[in-house]
Amino acid sequence: MQAILGIPIPYLVLVLELIILAVLIIGWLYGARRMNFKLHHKAVYSVVLIHILTVGIWMIPRAMERLSIMLSNPLTFWYQIVHDVIGILAIVLGAVLAILFLTRKGMPLKLLKRTRPFMFLTIGVWIIAFILGLYWFLVAWVLI
C-alpha cells in the first residue's frame, strides 16, 4: 500500500475529506448564514481546489485501475460506481459554481437567487458521495 510519511494514502485522503467537510460547514455556518460571503467564498474556493486535486491525483487513477473489475460485477461494486459518478458530478457542479462567482465580482441578487438551488444540489450530491466514499473506505481498508 502506498504511504506518505508512513501513513497509508487512503487514510490521508479520508482525513482530507473530513477537513473539507469541516471547512464546508464553517463556510456555511459562519459565512453564508451570517452573510459573510467573503468567508463563504474563501471556504468554497479552497474546498473546490483541494477536491479537484485530491480527486485528480488519487481517486480517478485508482478508479481507472479498478474499472474493469467494477464493471465486470456491477452489483458487487454498486456503491463504488455510484460514488465515482456522483462524486464527479459534485466536483463539476462545485467547479462551475466557483467559476461563475469568481468571474462575477460582487453579489448580484439575481445571480444568487438563480444559483441557490444548484448550491444545495451540489452540497447534497457531495454528501451522498462522501457517505458512499466512507462506506467504500470502511469496506476496503478497515473491514478487510
Side-chain angles (χ1 to χ4, degrees), residues 8-143:
I9 292 177
Y11 289 85
L12 292 174
V13 171
L14 175 62
V15 168
L16 190 58
E17 290 295 324
L18 290 170
I19 291 169
I20 287 171
L21 178 61
V23 170
L24 283 174
I25 290 170
I26 290 168
W28 176 61
L29 289 176
Y30 296 102
R33 286 191 67 204
R34 295 184 181 178
M35 295 200 179
N36 182 351
F37 296 116
K38 194 172 193 174
L39 172 67
H40 178 69
H41 288 166
K42 285 180 181 180
V44 170
Y45 298 152
S46 62
V47 162
V48 168
L49 178 63
I50 292 168
H51 218 191
I52 287 171
L53 291 172
T54 305
V55 169
I57 293 170
W58 175 253
M59 294 181 192
I60 289 177
R62 297 310 157 277
M64 296 307 288
E65 289 173 4
R66 296 185 310 271
L67 188 61
S68 62
I69 296 167
M70 290 187 305
L71 293 179
S72 68
N73 197 352
L75 292 177
T76 302
F77 296 102
W78 69 268
Y79 54 88
Q80 183 64 45
I81 295 167
V82 174
H83 166 74
D84 292 347
V85 170
I86 289 178
I88 289 170
L89 176 62
I91 289 171
V92 168
L93 286 170
V96 166
L97 285 168
I99 291 168
L100 183 64
F101 281 97
L102 275 171
T103 59
R104 292 278 185 110
K105 292 297 178 192
M107 183 62 63
L109 188 59
K110 189 176 180 181
L111 177 63
L112 182 60
K113 285 182 178 180
R114 286 186 178 170
T115 57
R116 198 160 189 226
F118 293 105
M119 293 176 194
F120 287 120
L121 175 65
T122 303
I123 195 67
V125 168
W126 187 86
I127 289 170
I128 292 168
F130 177 80
I131 291 168
L132 288 169
L134 184 60
Y135 177 74
W136 167 246
F137 175 84
L138 292 173
V139 168
W141 302 104
V142 178
L143 303 174

